[in-house]
Amino acid sequence: MDIFALAGQNLISPMVLCFALGLGASLARSDLSVPEAAAKALSIYLLFAIGFKGGVSVNESGLSADLAFALLAGVALSAAIPLVAFAILRAISRLDAVDAAAVAAHYGSISIVTFVAASASLTALGVTYEGYMVAVAAAMEAPAILTALWLAHRGHPASAGPAEAGLWREILLNGSIVLLIGAFAIGWITGPDGRAEISSFIDAPFRGVLCLFLLDMGLVAGRGLSRSARLLSPAVVAFGVGMPLVGAALGATTALALGLSVGGTAILITLAASASYIAVPAAMRVALPEANPAISLTLSLGVTFPFNLTLGIPLYIAAAQRLAG
Amino acid sequence: MDIFALAGQNLISPMVLCFALGLGASLARSDLSVPEAAAKALSIYLLFAIGFKGGVSVNESGLSADLAFALLAGVALSAAIPLVAFAILRAISRLDAVDAAAVAAHYGSISIVTFVAASASLTALGVTYEGYMVAVAAAMEAPAILTALWLAHRGHPASAGPAEAGLWREILLNGSIVLLIGAFAIGWITGPDGRAEISSFIDAPFRGVLCLFLLDMGLVAGRGLSRSARLLSPAVVAFGVGMPLVGAALGATTALALGLSVGGTAILITLAASASYIAVPAAMRVALPEANPAISLTLSLGVTFPFNLTLGIPLYIAAAQRLAG
Amino acid sequence: MDIFALAGQNLISPMVLCFALGLGASLARSDLSVPEAAAKALSIYLLFAIGFKGGVSVNESGLSADLAFALLAGVALSAAIPLVAFAILRAISRLDAVDAAAVAAHYGSISIVTFVAASASLTALGVTYEGYMVAVAAAMEAPAILTALWLAHRGHPASAGPAEAGLWREILLNGSIVLLIGAFAIGWITGPDGRAEISSFIDAPFRGVLCLFLLDMGLVAGRGLSRSARLLSPAVVAFGVGMPLVGAALGATTALALGLSVGGTAILITLAASASYIAVPAAMRVALPEANPAISLTLSLGVTFPFNLTLGIPLYIAAAQRLAG
Amino acid sequence: MQTHQAKRIEIIIEAPMQRRLEEALTRAGVTGYSILPVMGGNGRSGPWSREGQVGRAGGLIAVVCIVRPDAKDALLEAALAVLDRHIGVVSVADCEVLRAERF
Amino acid sequence: MQTHQAKRIEIIIEAPMQRRLEEALTRAGVTGYSILPVMGGNGRSGPWSREGQVGRAGGLIAVVCIVRPDAKDALLEAALAVLDRHIGVVSVADCEVLRAERF
Amino acid sequence: MQTHQAKRIEIIIEAPMQRRLEEALTRAGVTGYSILPVMGGNGRSGPWSREGQVGRAGGLIAVVCIVRPDAKDALLEAALAVLDRHIGVVSVADCEVLRAERF
Ligand SMILES: Nc1ncnc2c1ncn2[C@@H]1O[C@H](COP(=O)(O)O)[C@@H](O)[C@H]1O
Ligand SMILES: Nc1ncnc2c1ncn2[C@@H]1O[C@H](COP(=O)(O)O)[C@@H](O)[C@H]1O
Ligand SMILES: Nc1ncnc2c1ncn2[C@@H]1O[C@H](COP(=O)(O)O)[C@@H](O)[C@H]1O
Ligand code: NA
Ligand code: NA
Ligand code: NA
């Protein structure tokens, strides 16, 4: 299927439309809302299911040195992307070093929902990917934070003091990393038998749950946009759309070097192109409180996420088909 | 199937029994309870699923002028029923104009769960209905409020001042309307392909989720009854059982005029017979704070809803089979 | 299958691994957590599903005097076990009479999740059990509390005054008993037709939901252990592992006397071996506030529950196969 | 702005005791109170949190009561009788209220 | 420890009025407030609880506002205008704050 | 009714800082505190709400601490050290407590 057909079809998928519904509802100031506890429950479900499935597929395909290389490459990507992002932001926008570093951390890290959405698109196309990409995703969550703190400290020494030990434990053991890796391990250990046991829980309703979660993300993104869009200068918005493409290019190069499959390439591109909106914001509040959280979050959730969901993912899949096909 | 068989079977369906369990548990003062966030999540699921399915069915059947007529008729019904309800209440009960207007608003508007329960009963009987009835349901939520505010203002000028602009936005964009219409639009756009994609989420568990939601409604209704039953005079209780039948008659007439199918007729009768317990109460608190909320809510949720759920729906379906069959 | 194979397989089942993941995550102080409302919703689902299925199976098999005997035996077991537990605790540990009585109440009562996990294991092995065991489980929740209050009052008259009427209503009508019995009744009334109606809700996702609930239990157990493990002396920990075996022996004897099937025997053993962690703790806070809740809860949830989940259940099933097979 | 003297009483009490406290307050003639959720805390009996908890044990609630100064003692006595052997904290602060006719 | 005089204003108001109260506070120049959930309560209109509720009607929220003493009156007037015919309780207490530059 | 002077300290702080605040309070010898959820608010950094949020960033909590008057300063210093560069509001009010032996 060519890229325009893919993109067109993607735009009218239930997933994208649910996000659009949420976005529209909150921009129109409807009081539609998903309770916090329900949103968290949906995200626990998605993390568990995607992690578990990745583990099962590693159980089936067996393990090789590839996993180790991919993990290392993921860590390197996550640590490197903030350098690029920071340089671009300082060049084109007026963000100060601290805000630029905070934004850069978000773009080096990853968004699991973007990963999940790409995975759902691949599944719909019948394309498989290396199960260990789940572990790579988890490995890419944290390194960007380290780079960003270093960048902020360089630019503004008072701002980011010596990171305390507790911070590192917190970042590395944050709930989404632990659940993703834990579910991956469970899937790996229990394999296809385990999957058969709980398949009607983690497979059947998966896309529907994703739709409701995207509805919630649309609501939250819309609320962020209507409150904080004025904080985003045109240059910053341009960054929000351009940076995913830069990340995607870095991801594509890495995927080629690793020799990943078409699906694996699409996933790695997507991860590199995506921006965190859960783990990194919390870490930034602790370690870089001077950064204005509304800037990075509105950019990540209100600009980059919708871009990736609508145009990015079909583009990354098309690119992967060209490059690794 | 004759109406007694239908009603008898309905009384021992899991849906009705779950409601009865909730009602009994809270009347017996058990501490059984469904968390607020879970109840909201269940209702989001039901609204999304019923809206989406309606949209898909419109996608399949194509659109005609019927939709426009049905929408107009729904709006007219919703706006007219409060006049009848108000007149009856003032004639038979001692409620003052403000309380009577508030109650009337509830009965002109609709209860989505009653709609969902009727839809489930129809599905079990293999009867289909026009998919656009979902849009009609959404259209019937708000007009009754307008009529009721006018009634209250007539009867008691100080009580309902000129409605501020914000109120109208709030009523028209309230969460349940937006979600219902939004899911309807998504179903319409994505059609049978979209449904196939998320069917194991919105179809398979639908009735079970409805059961749990009815359990919760029973709990809430029972709590309301044990706290506020003393506020309901015999005349008011009689209204709670009689008014659905009046509404049903108006709904049936309208359905005949519209030439709806058997299923569509049953749904429109049900909508006209049902009384709001989510959207209207909130609007009344803002616009008509002098009205005692316990009266309308206890009547709607504690008397009319159980009546419709147990006897009303089978009766409305039987009537539809006679009239439109 | 021999017991070691059974136990080995059980240890690497998704259920046990999910519990282990939760336990590990909270011992490592990850911030992974399941919202309170979501945990309650999961538990409502499990209670409803297990109760309903039990009722359906009674509907199918018909009712006999067996149910009455089993109920009586369950009540007697629940009332008697605290006597044994109290005597053991006073002999081997330094717990005072009040704390020992509180712990004893937990062990006389039952844990529904342990029951659910045993039921899932039996189902996986293709072993059925008497549907009315659900009612027996409900009947075993409360009697232990009565015995324990009597024990505490004997040992420390000031502590447990004359139990007020409200307390008994509260204990007998606590949410989990009402939901379990109510769902059982609904399943009984609606039978296989009712089950067919909601089967894709209560059957298909059952094990997956159980996995997530066990994840949550692991998290809560781990938190309890890291906060309160120091309160548990080695003797008390030994009690936490030994008492289930004592309870199991009593349960096995009773099951033999009742002439239960293999499955029913395994369930009754499991019930007798399990320790409450929801209903009893709340009752103890009201009736025996001098007891340190951290001791009984950490012991029940942090020691006995994991023991039963990992080693106990396979052992009880194997024993049932020997005894009743 | 016309305000009146009142007392703000805050009772932090174990969730399983909620019904008893409510009944006692009503018996003591308290005309209004609001209950706020508490999500965690720490005390002599150690830290706790509601996260992932299913049962009501192991949780507190905060009952806030604004009363006329002369109603304070009856309320405190009622609260104390319920608290008795139980965990819980009662604090009383001076405040002023609008719309005193509502108390 | 350097502290400054301030007022702690607590407005318990019906949830459906939240947006209006927030707008009124903002118009009155209030620079900060926090909203706490209320899970139940009792008053002249009877007991209520949020358990199992889907709609916003039948619930209250507690808005806590720490302000400089001189900002008190404007805030109370704004709150009173919103409360008007509605259920709700407003209380004001003296307090001291750290970091007064933030108010 | 026998009551004792005490201080009611309320610390509204970002949720991601909860653990650090709890540790600091414990180090400062605070014997008890309760944590209440905050569902939204407004301040110089704009309005916020917890609705639909998955992460902890973008949320506050309210820590309520009733202490003997002489423990106040140690507590405030500990809280201030944690708050430091962070968003948050600390207020102190006089109150009286029952059962003073529990503090
Ligand atoms: N001084 C205090 N201020 C606020 N809350 C307290 C205080 N003391 C105890 N609490 C609450 O009451 C619970 C039980 O306290 P304790 O009985 O000291 O273990 C604690 O976990 C807190 O939630
Ligand atoms: N004196 C009070 N103290 C605290 N909350 C109150 C008080 N009076 C009323 N409320 C709250 O406001 C609600 C409505 O009060 P009312 O208008 O008296 O029915 C009650 O259910 C309580 O949640
Ligand atoms: N004066 C205040 N009273 C109560 N809460 C406040 C106050 N100021 C700030 N807050 C809370 O702290 C958050 C951050 O405040 P700010 O740093 O001013 O943006 C606000 O969104 C409120 O939730
Ligand atoms: Na990235
Ligand atoms: Na109606
Ligand atoms: Na037991």
Side-chain angles (χ1 to χ4, degrees), chain C residues 53-63 184 186-193:
Chain C
K53 290 181 210 172
V56 171
S57 115
V58 166
N59 175 297
E60 287 170 328
S61 67
L63 205 66
F184 177 76
I186 295 177
W188 191 353
I189 298 173
T190 60
D193 290 352

Side-chain angles (χ1 to χ4, degrees), chain D residues 30-35 64-67 102-103, chain E residues 12 38 40-48 60 86-89:
Chain D
V30 172
T31 58
Y33 55 83
S34 296
I35 306 180
V64 173
C65 239
I66 317 264
V67 293
R102 296 197 160 236
F103 293 88
Chain E
I12 299 184
V38 181
N42 203 347
R44 290 161 312 147
S45 46
W48 64 276
L60 305 189
H86 292 274
I87 281 176
V89 177

Side-chain angles (χ1 to χ4, degrees), chain E residues 30-35 64-67 102-103, chain F residues 10 12-14 38 40-48 60 86-89:
Chain E
V30 172
T31 57
Y33 54 83
S34 295
I35 305 181
V64 173
C65 238
I66 316 264
V67 294
R102 296 199 159 231
F103 294 88
Chain F
E10 189 176 73
I12 300 183
I13 190 175
E14 292 183 88
V38 181
N42 203 347
R44 290 162 312 147
S45 46
W48 64 276
L60 304 189
H86 292 274
I87 281 177
V89 177

Side-chain angles (χ1 to χ4, degrees), chain A residues 51-60 62-63 67 182-192, chain C residues 17:
Chain A
F52 186 86
K53 290 181 211 173
V56 170
S57 115
V58 166
N59 175 297
E60 288 170 329
L63 204 65
L67 166 58
F184 177 77
I186 296 177
W188 191 353
I189 298 173
T190 61
Chain C
L17 292 172

